[in-house]
Amino acid sequence: AVSKTRSVDEIRQLYDRGQRDFGENHALELQSKARELPADIRWHFIGHLQTNKVKTILPYVHLIHSVDSPRLVDEIQKRAAAANRQVGILWQVHIAKEESKHGFEPESLLQFLEECPPSTYPNLRPRGLMGMATFTEDQEQVRREFAHLAKLHKALQPSMDEMLRER
């Protein structure tokens, strides 16, 4: 459940009905809510994450949906290791025809994963890819962008499976 902009009381109502996964896109808001709500909530960070905010969310986050650069990967690994935590991540891929969107270029993600063996990041648990399509009415363009992401996922599946097996 995307809980950004929702109050602690609203989140607690969903929690009381069995919801355990909540998504936030602001580090300080996630931290504040996590401190007030039950510890078994699985917090998801769903927005663009700056490296200086990793320390804010790391104690609480279950899955980071927006890992978009080698620098961010290094920071998450460093903070997760210091906290003795395993953190799930999604590799964010830039598939849109908009410069305002973030993410690895497909080729640079392939190169990064080839150059950095799983042992480089023992505290990270890659769970898949994430991409944001172009904000457009052109549904064919959106389909092409997500088809490109699916093709990349298929190409990466063996190496992602290997990363998970090694853990």
Side-chain angles (χ1 to χ4, degrees):
V2 175
S3 55
K4 64 182 190 174
T5 75
R6 298 300 179 172
S7 71
V8 168
D9 289 337
E10 289 172 304
I11 296 168
R12 193 179 313 277
Q13 287 175 23
L14 284 177
Y15 177 88
D16 290 345
R17 292 186 177 111
Q19 180 66 34
R20 292 297 182 268
D21 290 271
F22 292 94
E24 292 288 333
N25 68 337
H26 292 290
L28 293 175
E29 190 172 347
L30 186 152
Q31 179 186 53
S32 173
K33 290 175 180 176
R35 288 177 174 171
E36 291 186 54
L37 289 160
D40 67 333
I41 287 178
R42 292 179 299 262
W43 292 103
H44 295 244
F45 193 83
I46 58 175
H48 176 65
L49 180 59
Q50 298 173 331
T51 55
N52 67 334
K53 299 294 185 186
V54 171
K55 65 181 175 281
T56 304
I57 66 165
L58 213 292
Y60 314 103
V61 76
H62 172 74
L63 182 65
I64 301 172
H65 292 230
S66 50
V67 178
D68 62 3
S69 71
R71 188 169 164 239
L72 183 58
V73 174
D74 290 340
E75 184 66 17
I76 296 168
Q77 170 57 38
K78 180 178 91 175
R79 298 289 178 175
N84 197 27
R85 291 207 54 227
Q86 306 297 309
V87 178
I89 64 168
L90 297 178
W91 303 110
Q92 184 173 351
V93 181
H94 186 248
I95 60 170
K97 303 297 182 215
E98 298 170 326
E99 291 304 314
S100 61
K101 300 280 196 300
H102 301 275
F104 281 93
E105 292 301 325
E107 301 77 25
S108 66
L109 179 59
L110 288 168
Q111 181 179 355
F112 174 77
L113 293 175
E114 284 177 16
E115 293 173 359
C116 297
S119 60
T120 309
Y121 303 103
N123 295 81
L124 304 186
R125 299 290 178 263
R127 298 293 186 226
L129 304 178
M130 188 280 276
M132 301 271 298
T134 302
F135 185 69
T136 179
E137 296 292 324
D138 183 351
Q139 293 303 301
E140 261 321 296
Q141 180 177 349
V142 172
R143 278 189 203 76
R144 282 191 307 273
E145 290 170 359
F146 281 118
H148 185 66
L149 186 64
K151 185 177 175 183
L152 179 63
H153 181 265
K154 188 173 183 177
L156 288 173
Q157 195 62 52
S159 62
M160 290 178 58
D161 288 346
E162 178 185 335
M163 289 178 88
L164 292 174
R165 268 195 307 276
E166 289 188 8
R167 305 212 161 122

